[in-house]
């Protein structure tokens, strides 16, 4: 059986089964999607919005295969981001999953300054999240260029203010889908506002 790296599918009877080794493009009643999955995620990210008569709507989707990340992971991210802010530098953290162990929060080797962090992304990360210190929690053009794998990405910002902010998105090979904090983490975001 010949399996292609990328497949082109039509959602005639709902969401079609995945076929491509890397990802699929799916034409549906509500547009074109990139559908991809790995050990940690299943995503369907919109590429182009349009009405295609005769096909069903399939909607964007992001599913964590091992469930939402526990509260202690979020608490560790907040602690590390605030520690980086107090030291005057950004920080990047990653979350991985190992069978029998569960989710783990790691700090990859990195070189960080007040407005940048250089790191080697872990190959098995489910989430990469970095801080922007006192600056807004928005994804920069640099973030868009760096975040080209299949995983969740996040940024925390406005640290040191009364209302720090977190932004999260699913990334699929350069295409992005904003996701809510509550669909990624289990628990309470504390004093953070979900962008």
């Amino acid at each position: 059986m010949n399996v292609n790296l990328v497949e082109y599918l039509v959602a005639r009877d709902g969401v079609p089964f995945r076929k491509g080794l890397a990802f699929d493009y799916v034409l549906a009643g509500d547009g074109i999607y990139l559908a991809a999955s790995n050990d940690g995620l299943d995503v369907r990210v919109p590429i182009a919005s349009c009405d295609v008569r005769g096909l069903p709507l399939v909607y964007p989707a992001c599913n964590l295969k091992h469930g939402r990340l526990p509260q202690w992971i979020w608490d560790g991210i907040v602690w590390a981001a605030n520690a980086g802010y107090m030291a005057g530098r950004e920080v990047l953290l990653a979350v991985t999953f190992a069978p029998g162990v569960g989710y783990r929060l790691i700090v990859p080797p990195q070189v960080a300054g007040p407005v940048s962090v250089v790191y080697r992304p872990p190959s098995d990360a489910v989430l990469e999240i970095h801080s922007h210190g006192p600056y807004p929690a928005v994804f920069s053009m640099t973030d868009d260029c760096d975040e080209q794998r299949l995983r969740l990405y996040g940024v925390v910002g406005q640290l040191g203010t009364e209302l720090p902010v977190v932004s999260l998105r699913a990334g699929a090979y350069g295409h992005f889908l904003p996701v809510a904090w509550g669909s990624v983490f289990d628990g309470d975001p504390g004093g953070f506002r979900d962008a």
Side-chain angles (χ1 to χ4, degrees), residues 100-181:
V101 176
Y103 287 114
R104 295 184 320 152
L105 181 63
I106 62 171
V107 181
Q110 57 196 270
V111 177
V115 294
S116 67
V117 59
V118 178
Y119 64 98
R120 181 179 307 259
S123 61
D124 60 344
V126 175
L127 166 70
E128 287 179 28
I129 188 166
H130 68 283
S131 62
H132 277 181
Y135 304 108
V138 296
F139 293 97
S140 67
M141 288 177 28
T142 300
D143 296 335
D144 290 347
C145 291
D146 289 346
E147 298 173 354
Q148 296 292 310
R149 294 175 180 233
L150 176 58
R151 59 186 51 163
L152 295 168
Y153 293 102
V155 61
V156 293
Q158 295 178 259
L159 299 172
T161 69
E162 289 187 22
L163 195 58
V165 179
V166 57
S167 295
L168 297 167
R169 65 184 181 180
Y173 310 113
H175 301 283
F176 302 103
L177 172 68
V179 293
W181 185 93

